[in-house]
Amino acid sequence: MKHMEPPSIRVSEIFGPTIQGEGVLIGLPTVFVRTGGCDYRCSWCDSLHAVDNRFRGDWQAMSVEQIWEQVSALSGGEPLTVSLSGGNPAIQPLGELIEFGHREGYRFALETQGSVARDWFSTLDTLVLSPKPPSSQMSTDWARFEACLAVAQGRPLTVLKLVVFDDEDYAYAKDAAARYPHLPVYLQPGNHTPPSPDRDDVIVDMTGVMRRMKWLIEKVTQDRWFDARVLPQLHMLLWGNTRGV
Amino acid sequence: MKHMEPPSIRVSEIFGPTIQGEGVLIGLPTVFVRTGGCDYRCSWCDSLHAVDNRFRGDWQAMSVEQIWEQVSALSGGEPLTVSLSGGNPAIQPLGELIEFGHREGYRFALETQGSVARDWFSTLDTLVLSPKPPSSQMSTDWARFEACLAVAQGRPLTVLKLVVFDDEDYAYAKDAAARYPHLPVYLQPGNHTPPSPDRDDVIVDMTGVMRRMKWLIEKVTQDRWFDARVLPQLHMLLWGNTRGV
Ligand code: SF4
Ligand code: SF4
């Protein structure tokens, strides 16, 4: 019998390299490790295949070595930034994976809503905290959110990413930014036509996406919120709702 | 008679705030000060109205105070990043404008091909050096380019921005990046349907733009060029070839 079980990480999908389509690392080549499971159920979640228990059967319990084999193969052994996403990747034991990858020269970015804090956040290269606005139907526990900032100890590049569907979301984003004035802010218009977990071919309402992007730019500039960045979901503009690209 | 004439800056247009659509500051609200005149004539120049002598009559010789009046009005007196573009803004005397704006808390980003070096480059907040690839029909004088880096003295955030139309441009981009391994690299697919200086309504070949963007992402990822960023011209996706947004 083994002395210690290797940590088992629930993985929904590993794919890439492709470019990061959102936020602070937009345009950067990356391999995604998407974990399965989330403590939230956002009304407009665009990753339901990594959230909904219906898809639990598609998730694989993997060891660090098994994950690394895939990341390494996809990147041809050439170090790059690995994007840890979900679901909520913070509910998985990812500390060892990060340590392992760092030894090989890889970098790690993680995106989470900020509901679960982990010691290993301090070992990340980039931490994207994306608290969910009212339109998600979730409510933010700011004490938990602050615990995420506390464990990160200011070591990774830490940024706020806020999805904005409407005026209420915009007010929430301004409030979140005001709470943490030292964090760079990335705003992203919401996608009203998110991918369906069952189908790969839901057509993105591109005109609607562009209209909301323009609306958000106008809000931000009229409001003179001059240190916020407004960015679209680039992968969605390029590939629509197709998964794995 | 005045003791000293105020520096006269040739301005093609001042507009904003809108978001920066390209490169390292993508998504950031900014006011553009586009100067008139360029020492290059790129085959695919997308700013001919600020380059071609035919449009010289549209350019205005302005003092620092006159420019600042407009920037200040557009930004409502709230400090933001001013984007100095052209034409080649390096052929204008912009040092005093930058000094003036800095005193008011504004920041300055300048984009130039790197053919003319100015002492005041060192006072910029962001310097985007965009040497022109073979498809432009221009040839790069690397000694002059390096003079730009030298005068900047490493003070502004300095990045390389490279437009890529084809394989030859891609090879040029790789070579440029290899020359300056310490500079972050931003790659941008070329626009085969640039705006016409005479007309505001040239339709952008959006499908073509997206196809070239995907082609470039594939090149970069297959090539394992994992620290290059690939970004589109966001303003073009949002507003097509309409000017002044
Ligand atoms: S936190 Fe993210 S993954 Fe979880 S339900 Fe919300 S959008 Fe989906
Ligand atoms: S350097 Fe820029 S502004 Fe000058 S001709 Fe080339 S593309 Fe146009």
Side-chain angles (χ1 to χ4, degrees), chain A residues 5 22 91 124 126 133 142 147 166 169-170 180 191 204 229:
Chain A
E5 283 300 305
E22 305 178 359
I91 63 179
L124 289 162
T126 307
W142 290 107
D166 52 30
D169 288 358
Y170 185 79
Y180 312 105
N191 177 6
V204 172
R229 298 262 201 131

Side-chain angles (χ1 to χ4, degrees), chain A residues 38 40-42 44-45 51 86-87 113 132:
Chain A
C38 189
Y40 273 27
R41 287 294 179 279
C42 300
W44 37 250
C45 177
V51 168
Q113 63 264 48
K132 302 305 172 190

Side-chain angles (χ1 to χ4, degrees), chain A residues 146-187:
Chain A
E146 261 149 57
C148 292
L149 282 171
V151 292
Q153 299 177 65
R155 286 196 197 140
L157 167 64
T158 305
V159 304
L160 277 179
K161 187 172 103 180
L162 293 146
V163 173
V164 178
F165 277 85
D166 52 30
D167 284 311
E168 221 187 323
D169 288 358
Y170 185 79
Y172 173 92
K174 285 218 83 167
D175 170 64
R179 281 169 186 266
Y180 312 105
H182 59 294
L183 298 183
V185 176
Y186 290 79
L187 303 177

Side-chain angles (χ1 to χ4, degrees), chain B residues 161-183:
Chain B
K161 187 172 103 180
L162 294 146
V163 173
V164 178
F165 276 85
D166 52 30
D167 284 311
E168 221 187 322
D169 287 358
Y170 185 81
Y172 173 92
K174 287 218 82 166
D175 169 65
R179 281 169 187 265
Y180 312 104
H182 58 293
L183 298 183

Side-chain angles (χ1 to χ4, degrees), chain A residues 118-125 127 148 150-156:
Chain A
R118 295 288 181 202
D119 283 346
W120 47 261
F121 280 5
S122 66
T123 68
L124 289 162
D125 298 277
L127 173 60
C148 292
V151 292
Q153 299 177 65
R155 286 196 197 140

